[in-house]
């Protein structure tokens, strides 16, 4: 069962398997985000990962590589390339393929430069990382010590294998550039028309997957050679279009025509990035006044480097007294309508605009739950206000009866989307 | 290679394997958090997951279960129990074991009640979930439609297998209670002394793993029958003690004696929960004034249900003008020392205390980076102030030259820990 609509359709497909090594993955001390990231990258190439195998460091690694290599066309192995005793991926693979190892001069020089720069000695254990099986190619690691290795399929011919094997480092900041720069070009070269393949992502917000399907899927599926996928993000959905340049361009135009107002970016930028960049371009300032989201909206905005150029003032007015004192919300308004109400959201946004001197102010007041709801305003009810200099204040009511963290996420997303729509001249 | 110090040492160990099914896992649309969570639960029982296998929905599921069942003592399978065509886990397992299926009256009644309550018809597809292989036990699903199933090892005897097989639902909120209530008791019963085994977690903050090791590990490792593990959390470290009651109690006392001031909870509560609960007990209020963390501290505090009883006012004073206007920080102080300075952190905390009327106020001012640093104050520099009614204001300087999100996490953690220490009467 899956909540995710995901279609990949590119025969003939390579069988690709992933082997992640690391005791920390088996003990659950590390969440396997590499596997998901690689899955997405391969899906973008039209390949569904056929199997992921995760084993602890040590002897199980060899077993897992052997099994995967016997089944697959491409095996990506991550982890176990480091200097410690339980890092056995390099040696296990060489043994499986019957390859001897030689010390590589370029890798040795890289390791020596790396450690000299850090005023550390180059130990014998470290130099194990410079050993390269004969016939394998070194994949440069710009962000760490252990290089990757690529074993072309012909090295496994004597065992009856036909799989290309890549050994990659475990840390995300090391494996990601290596996959993008060294693995994907080689996989593209193995796929028919792989080299000229394109993938684009149109990121949508303010619309659910089922509405996307209803409004555009039929037309998209009618484009010959276009592969279509959806990827649910944090409050947004990526429409993934892959194939040759022509069909991809046709597909993108269909999405723009049918769903243009919901497209927040075509380069995978998330909403807070789009907001900060758009404000920076227009030279406008934003301020926030949050009750139930408790600072989460401000925190998302300030996740973007450079936010200080357009965001100066944020208020977390959790208590009614704070709404009165800092935003000038009249006490009788709170008394009459309650803190969670259209008039209070309006007064918060307008008060925030005034006190901050910003061009736009977003306000949020609601009931995050799980407690605090009433029959008229159940937990999950939230009012979002947007006040802008010289424009009419808008207040919208939303209902997110979900977990507290999802509530904060979707509420802050809806708030930023109101501002995005205003800045683009779309109806809010 | 692993950053995590993790030791599990309980021979004789059961071989336990995990099979996660779901196309969304292979495409990377869902991060496999279940695997990590189950890994931690099993580690707590003294079992290291020997292998995780992840396959897409459909035919690969049968293959993966067959292989795992041939190797392992216990196989936990998640996903593929739902009503759609690609949900084949139940049928595949029954076929592998040569079991016929019968419709279970209790499950049927549960399904009918579930759908009637939601005013939906009970479809034929839905009723597939009530089919139970003969000899398997039903595991109740309190949070969804698909029940779990348990196949005792004797059902596989004809195939030469000795593995207990559990089929579990995929969604986290369904699988977690089922593992805790239905799987773990059965696994305990399979382990020698498993039934009387205990596991406790002491959560520490404000101290690194290497210092924990230095201060207590030798003594802990000398306790006979005590299993020791560490689990790195978000800004904290869990010391995991497992074994029989005696050794666990001895171990816990050692940790309390050697590292007591760093223990924030013994029930896995995270720091924001401890802060909100401690404030609630003492009837005190907290306010926050954040610059570089941009509302993240306030957001963490308001992640805790009931925060509104102790947290009323938060300020995100990103701009200098906001620090002056809302917190009363003198302009000449900002001019003289710069926004990122001891005097400004002090003035922010004291101003925040005054304007909010709270008992405690935390202030944060720093350079999150990656840009904005100087030689004297490089990116990652941060000052945290704590002002409390009738007590001396304390300001501490920290240095976290890391990614923006880790910076926000560790800075907000350090701030809350200063308050925790003050409320416990510890030196800050």
């Amino acid at each position: 069962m899956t909540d995710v609509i995901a279609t990949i359709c590119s025969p003939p497909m390579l069988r690709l398997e992933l082997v992640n090594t690391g005791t920390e993955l088996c003990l659950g001390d590390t969440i396997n985000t590499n596997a998901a990231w690689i899955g997405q990258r391969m899906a973008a190439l039209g390949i569904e990962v056929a199997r992921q195998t995760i084993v602890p460091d040590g002897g199980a690694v060899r077993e897992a590589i052997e099994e995967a290599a016997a089944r697959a066309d491409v095996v990506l192995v991550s982890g176990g390339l480091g200097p410690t005793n339980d890092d056995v991926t390099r040696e296990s693979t060489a043994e499986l393929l019957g390859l001897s190892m030689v010390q590589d001069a370029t890798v040795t020089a890289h390791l020596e430069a790396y450690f000299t720069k850090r005023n550390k000695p180059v130990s014998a254990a470290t130099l194990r990382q410079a050993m390269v099986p004969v016939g394998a190619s070194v994949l440069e690691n710009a962000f760490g010590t252990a290089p990757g290795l690529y074993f072309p399929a012909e090295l496994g011919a004597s065992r009856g294998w036909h799989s290309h094997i890549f050994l990659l480092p475990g840390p995300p900041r090391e494996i990601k550039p290596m996959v993008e720069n060294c693995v994907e070009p080689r996989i593209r070269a193995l796929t028919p028309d792989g080299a000229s393949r394109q993938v684009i992502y149109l990121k949508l917000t303010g619309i659910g997957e089922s509405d996307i399907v209803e409004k555009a899927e039929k037309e998209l599926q009618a484009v010959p050679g276009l592969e279509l996928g959806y990827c649910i993000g944090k409050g947004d959905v990526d429409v993934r279009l892959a194939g040759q340049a022509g069909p991809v361009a046709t597909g993108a135009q269909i999405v723009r025509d049918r769903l243009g107002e919901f497209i927040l970016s075509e380069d995978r930028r998330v909403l807070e990035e789009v907001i900060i960049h758009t404000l920076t371009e227009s030279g406008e300032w934003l301020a926030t006044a949050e009750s139930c989201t408790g600072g989460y909206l401000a925190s998302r905005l300030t996740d973007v480097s450079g936010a200080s150029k357009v965001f100066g003032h944020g208020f977390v007015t959790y208590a009614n007294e704070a709404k009165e004192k800092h935003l000038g919300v009249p006490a009788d308004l709170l008394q009459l309508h309650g803190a969670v109400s259209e008039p209070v959201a309006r007064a918060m946004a307008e008060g925030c605009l005034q006190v901050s001197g910003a061009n736009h102010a977003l306000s949020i007041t609601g009931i995050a739950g799980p407690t605090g709801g009433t029959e008229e305003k159940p937990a999950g009810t939230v009012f979002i206000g947007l006040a802008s200099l010289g424009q009419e204040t808008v207040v919208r009511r939303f209902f997110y009866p979900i977990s507290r963290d999802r509530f904060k996420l979707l509420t802050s997303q809806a708030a930023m989307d109101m501002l995005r729509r205003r800045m683009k001249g779309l109806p809010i």
Side-chain angles (χ1 to χ4, degrees), chain A:
Chain A
M1 193 183 68
T2 162
D3 290 340
V4 180
I5 314 154
T7 46
I8 294 290
C9 33
S10 103
M13 219 192 258
L14 289 177
R15 181 175 172 97
L16 182 143
E17 293 200 23
L18 209 58
V19 176
N20 300 137
T21 74
T23 301
E24 71 281 10
L25 295 169
C26 290
L27 292 176
D29 290 332
T30 300
I31 291 177
N32 196 348
T33 53
N34 280 348
W37 182 83
I38 291 175
Q40 291 197 345
R41 297 295 305 190
M42 295 304 117
L45 298 179
I47 298 169
E48 180 184 304
V49 172
R51 185 186 285 217
Q52 303 165 6
T53 305
I54 294 92
V55 287
D57 296 312
V61 172
R62 184 187 159 125
E63 208 175 272
I65 296 173
E66 187 168 18
E67 292 172 24
R71 279 187 302 251
D73 303 302
V74 178
V75 181
L76 307 185
V77 186
S78 73
L81 295 177
T84 62
N85 273 338
D86 58 0
D87 290 317
V88 299
T89 306
R90 191 185 306 101
E91 289 74 10
S92 300
T93 310
E95 277 170 34
L96 285 170
L97 295 168
L99 305 174
S100 58
M101 312 253 276
V102 292
Q103 187 168 338
D104 185 273
T106 313
V107 180
T108 305
H110 172 72
L111 288 170
E112 282 168 354
Y114 188 96
F115 282 92
T116 305
K117 195 175 158 194
R118 287 159 179 79
N119 285 319
K120 288 181 180 174
V122 188
S123 67
T126 296
L127 283 177
R128 261 184 61 212
Q129 298 172 94
M131 298 302 288
V132 173
V134 176
S137 311
V138 170
L139 311 176
E140 196 204 347
N141 186 345
F143 298 91
T145 58
L149 291 168
Y150 165 57
F151 301 78
E154 54 266 28
L155 292 180
S158 63
R159 298 213 50 175
W161 296 345
H162 52 88
S163 64
H164 299 262
I165 303 174
F166 294 85
L167 307 188
L168 307 164
R173 73 192 193 105
E174 299 181 27
I175 194 173
K176 288 181 179 180
M178 202 181 283
V179 167
E180 289 174 0
N181 300 327
C182 306
V183 177
E184 291 182 12
R186 286 179 169 86
I187 292 179
R188 279 173 186 275
L190 298 173
T191 346
D193 301 323
S196 56
R197 227 180 117 80
Q198 293 195 349
V199 187
I200 66 164
Y201 295 87
L202 296 116
K203 196 182 277 295
L204 277 63
T205 196
I207 184 169
E209 311 88 81
S210 54
D211 284 337
I212 297 176
V213 168
E214 195 180 313
K215 291 196 174 155
E217 186 165 278
K218 208 167 167 185
E219 213 173 332
L220 287 168
Q221 287 192 327
V223 179
L226 178 64
E227 298 155 30
L228 172 64
Y230 303 96
C231 176
I232 314 296
K234 288 189 163 177
D236 57 39
V237 182
D238 276 322
V239 178
R240 182 177 52 218
L241 304 172
Q244 295 301 307
V248 168
T250 306
Q253 199 51 50
I254 293 169
V255 178
R256 287 185 207 110
D257 290 345
R258 298 286 164 263
L259 299 159
E261 64 178 298
F262 303 103
I263 298 175
L264 75 94
S265 71
E266 299 198 4
D267 54 6
R268 308 208 81 176
R269 276 182 308 158
V270 294
L271 187 48
E272 52 268 40
E273 291 174 293
V274 170
I275 293 290
I276 296 296
H277 296 166
T278 311
L279 287 166
T280 305
E281 275 170 19
S282 65
E284 292 181 302
W285 288 77
L286 169 64
T288 56
E290 303 174 65
S291 187
C292 56
T293 45
Y296 186 69
L297 171 59
S299 184
R300 282 184 69 179
L301 290 164
T302 58
D303 280 343
V304 184
S305 184
S308 58
K309 291 188 186 71
V310 297
F311 178 76
H313 303 242
F315 298 87
V316 184
T317 54
Y318 226 51
N320 279 357
E321 186 220 326
K323 296 181 183 73
E324 295 171 28
K325 191 165 177 180
H326 312 308
L327 304 172
V329 177
D332 55 358
L333 208 67
L334 287 158
Q335 187 67 31
L336 189 64
H337 302 281
V340 179
S341 64
E342 198 274 354
V344 168
R346 181 178 297 273
M348 284 172 70
E350 292 177 350
C352 183
L353 190 73
Q354 198 175 7
V355 76
S356 67
N359 304 79
H360 304 279
L362 284 165
S363 71
I364 298 175
T365 180
I367 305 149
T371 60
T374 63
E375 194 158 332
E376 192 203 344
K377 292 169 189 167
T381 303
V382 59
F383 292 87
I384 303 178
L386 169 59
S388 304
L389 277 184
Q391 291 183 75
E392 214 175 310
T393 300
V394 178
V395 178
R396 292 280 170 267
R397 180 180 181 150
F398 298 86
F399 184 50
Y400 299 121
I402 44 181
S403 67
R404 214 170 158 89
D405 55 339
R406 290 281 299 165
F407 174 89
K408 283 182 160 187
L409 175 71
L410 296 186
T411 299
S412 58
Q413 186 79 5
M416 288 191 283
D417 200 36
M418 285 171 63
L419 178 58
R420 178 187 73 85
R421 296 183 72 99
R422 170 155 282 177
M423 290 194 293
K424 287 195 84 170
L426 293 164
I428 304 173

